[in-house]
Amino acid sequence: MSRYFTDEHEWIDVEGEIATVGITDYAQEQLGDIVFVELPAEGTTFEKGDDAAVVESVKAASDVYAPISGEVVESNSALEDEPALVNSDAEEDGWFFKLRIADTSELDGLMNEAAYKKFVASL
């Protein structure tokens, strides 16, 4: 499995043709306590950069963008009942949705973990 990051603070794990998407620990720390998550419906298709989900915290509401193009094959229904999972485990159990990857070449423009850490340190 390979993990990639975006400059919009999403992480993406790729396993075969399926990509799991969530927001990074850095993003959840910046948002504060998460109180609501709006997830995409299964079967929804996104182009890279589309608004795919919404996360609301006590501080603000933010869009979560599709880091690559694809079709939603699963949303993390656990977040509907317990949005705080994003705070407690943003980069594992707090995932948002899974996409069937439409174009693997879009992964080439994403950062690896070392590049993402360097990016966050520069903020």
Side-chain angles (χ1 to χ4, degrees):
M1 183 181 333
S2 299
R3 179 167 278 195
Y4 302 88
F5 296 87
T6 72
D7 58 4
E8 298 290 340
H9 306 288
E10 288 98 10
W11 58 264
I12 176 170
D13 278 345
V14 175
E15 189 165 359
E17 64 177 4
I18 302 299
T20 304
V21 178
I23 64 171
T24 65
D25 271 333
Y26 175 84
Q28 68 82 19
E29 286 174 13
Q30 297 300 306
L31 287 166
D33 293 336
I34 306 295
V35 295
F36 179 76
V37 176
E38 182 180 319
L39 300 170
E42 290 180 26
T44 305
T45 57
F46 294 112
E47 295 297 319
K48 181 179 180 177
D50 284 351
D51 297 347
V54 176
V55 59
E56 292 183 23
S57 71
V58 294
K59 292 182 180 176
S62 296
D63 291 324
V64 176
Y65 303 103
I68 58 173
S69 301
E71 177 185 353
V72 176
V73 294
E74 185 178 354
S75 291
N76 187 357
S77 59
L79 294 182
E80 294 172 359
D81 296 331
E82 192 179 349
L85 263 177
V86 179
N87 292 119
S88 63
D89 200 7
E91 297 192 13
E92 295 295 335
D93 290 341
W95 60 275
F96 279 55
F97 55 89
K98 295 184 179 188
L99 288 174
R100 184 178 319 280
I101 300 169
D103 182 357
T104 56
S105 71
E106 292 177 347
L107 296 169
D108 295 341
L110 302 177
M111 292 180 269
N112 63 21
E113 186 169 2
Y116 179 72
K117 285 183 177 179
K118 187 175 179 181
F119 169 71
V120 168
S122 71
L123 298 177

